[in-house]
Amino acid sequence: MTASASTAPTPTSSALTAKPLRLRRMGIDTYQEPVLYMHRDCHVCHAEGFQAQSRVEVRLNGRAIVATLNVVTGELLALDEAGLSEAAWRLLQAKPDDSVSMHHPPLLESMSQVRAKVYGRRLNQAGLDAIIRDVAAGRYSDLQLATFVTACAGDRMDLNETIALTRAMVNAGERMQWGDGLVMDKHCVGGLPGNRTTMLIVPIIAACGLRMPKTSSRAITSPAGTADAMETLAPVDLDVPQIRRVVEQTGGCIVWGGGVRLSPADDILIRVERPLDLDSQGQMVASVLSKKVAAGSTHVLIDMPVGLTAKVRSDAAAHRLGHELEQVGKALGLHVRVVQTDGVAPVGKGIGPALEAIDVLSVLQGDAAAPQDLATRALFLAGQILEFGGATPLGQGLAKATEVLASGVAWAKFQQICEAQGGMRTPPVAPYQQPVLARHSGTVIAIDNRRLARIAKLAGAPNTPCGGLYMHVQPGAVVERGQPLFTVHAATPGALAYALEYAGAPAEAVHVMEEAL
């Protein structure tokens, strides 16, 4: 979720003397960043000293946003016009030819805390509260957000800072309350393409009588997040009353958390983390657990895949991260249980929003060709949650989860959830597909999760839902020269060519040990 428009304070004297500008919708997609466009010779630019990349407060009908200025030359804009990107237009709820006033934004005092972190100082609760309040209010430019994200990357946040950051992120948004009783949740640390178990687990848990209102983020460094995949099957951008209605009707939901201002600063930070390809441990812990606290969860199971090309690469790293998740959860009143799982290879066959959703449907529908590794992993985790929540005795969770899936009860519950969220739909299919073939005969000895994820992203995932790739092999498979290893899916010829060029690089995503002559 991006910044929200705030109530505008009293204009400064300089702004009151400036002639308002007429708004123009530029039709430019700047993702979630509000961008303002003005002519270089505009009287406001001259009067206020605005230059390219200046931060400008734009006010309209009592609403205000802070936008980054792009300066225009030529005839694209008249001298008395101000153009807005799509994100800025939505936030201001603007109409064509509305008149707006421009102002210098208030001094961003919290940037002093960010600079202190850059130079190695620890941040306390007050400092992080100030930073996150400003982030959530949209006062940080993407450049300033990137500075904060980078300053906290690596091992630069200790446990106390991570707890403080998590609290600050919770306090900056709304919190859901579910009354008495347990509220179950689950999160995967990530780094394992295709691991779309949540969409199987939620209907199983809900069918067993436990509440599981699942709010998910969109992808940060992966080709798809749960919200991205679920969105190809049903609406995920629900508000709090809609989520409550769905959960009351069905016992569960699978929605995008950014649409309801649950830890809203997290979604703004994700906007910058994605292109930077950064997902540091402290910020990841704060991101995950702030959403769980804000969503009203009481019990959270963390799936932690471990493998050489997964996000968590060793048992030692898994232990450190698991300990931090448990300690931060405890500090915020959450019961957190961490389960370490195999992170050697992708899970399922599809990598990318629509392809992963198709895998989920095949498992729920009992298709004979459904990926069994996805079903097995989801059932194991669902069994752990059933035991964690007391729905079954210890040791009997897996059997109960298997029964619910095999009987079709989970499929019926999933359809009910989709209908309650706004109606079930068919995931899109990519119009351009091309297989990547084995260069020689042999045995698949390793799969590089990171390279596969990069190929899927170059093919358009997650922004293009049908983009990604479909796996034909797993480690241990025996292949012949010329046999497909995976098929790249794309919405355009350009995206397909871009992904195939990377897939054909000398460093292979699927390693085949050549047969001895």
Side-chain angles (χ1 to χ4, degrees), residues 266-346:
D266 182 43
D267 292 280
I268 297 172
L269 293 171
I270 285 172
R271 183 180 81 209
V272 171
E273 289 170 347
R274 181 183 290 165
L276 289 176
D277 203 18
L278 284 176
D279 193 11
S280 67
Q281 179 163 309
Q283 287 175 325
M284 178 176 65
V285 170
S287 171
V288 171
L289 297 185
S290 66
K291 288 284 181 68
K292 305 312 178 189
V293 174
S297 303
T298 61
H299 291 63
V300 182
L301 184 82
I302 304 291
D303 173 18
M304 190 180 297
V306 179
L308 291 177
T309 58
K311 186 174 292 183
V312 182
R313 302 188 188 185
S314 67
D315 289 340
H319 177 75
R320 289 194 300 272
L321 177 56
H323 177 74
E324 187 163 351
L325 283 161
E326 290 170 350
Q327 291 301 306
V328 174
K330 183 178 180 180
L332 277 87
L334 282 176
H335 298 276
V336 175
R337 179 180 293 181
V338 179
V339 177
Q340 186 172 320
T341 56
D342 183 4
V344 172

Side-chain angles (χ1 to χ4, degrees), residues 84-300:
L84 293 180
S85 68
E86 291 296 288
W89 190 269
R90 287 193 302 269
L91 287 171
L92 275 179
Q93 302 174 33
K95 298 181 180 63
D97 293 327
D98 273 346
S99 293
V100 294
S101 58
M102 311 292 176
H103 311 261
H104 287 282
L107 186 64
L108 197 59
E109 298 282 1
S110 65
M111 270 303 296
S112 64
Q113 299 293 326
V114 176
R115 285 190 289 272
K117 188 61 182 172
V118 169
Y119 287 102
R121 290 182 54 188
R122 290 182 63 255
L123 294 174
N124 59 22
Q125 187 69 63
L128 283 162
D129 282 341
I131 291 169
I132 295 302
R133 274 197 306 270
D134 284 339
V135 168
R139 299 188 183 108
Y140 273 50
S141 68
D142 278 10
L143 182 61
Q144 291 164 328
L145 290 169
T147 303
F148 174 61
V149 167
T150 305
C152 296
D155 296 324
R156 296 184 181 92
M157 295 192 75
D158 62 24
L159 179 61
N160 288 332
E161 286 178 299
T162 302
I163 292 171
L165 175 61
T166 308
R167 283 202 181 103
M169 292 171 73
V170 171
N171 293 337
E174 300 176 9
R175 293 184 68 167
M176 299 189 71
Q177 303 291 337
W178 298 99
D180 295 335
L182 306 186
V183 179
M184 310 307 294
D185 210 332
K186 172 262 176 189
H187 180 81
C188 179
V189 169
L192 201 57
N195 191 19
R196 208 47 57 216
T197 57
T198 295
M199 294 167 65
L200 297 166
I201 291 169
V202 170
I204 291 173
I205 300 305
C208 292
L210 289 174
R211 288 178 296 183
M212 195 166 182
K214 184 72 177 83
T215 59
S216 299
S217 296
R218 299 191 183 277
I220 303 175
T221 58
S222 68
T226 296
D228 301 306
M230 185 65 180
E231 193 169 39
T232 70
L233 297 174
V236 297
D237 190 2
L238 278 62
D239 60 24
V240 171
Q242 290 170 325
I243 292 173
R244 191 173 298 281
R245 174 182 54 78
V246 173
V247 175
E248 288 173 352
Q249 289 179 6
T250 70
C253 68
I254 307 169
V255 300
W256 176 47
V260 288
R261 287 191 60 81
L262 301 177
S263 185
D266 182 43
D267 292 280
I268 297 172
L269 293 171
I270 285 172
R271 183 180 81 209
V272 171
E273 289 170 347
R274 181 183 290 165
L276 289 176
D277 203 18
L278 284 176
D279 193 11
S280 67
Q281 179 163 309
Q283 287 175 325
M284 178 176 65
V285 170
S287 171
V288 171
L289 297 185
S290 66
K291 288 284 181 68
K292 305 312 178 189
V293 174
S297 303
T298 61
H299 291 63
V300 182

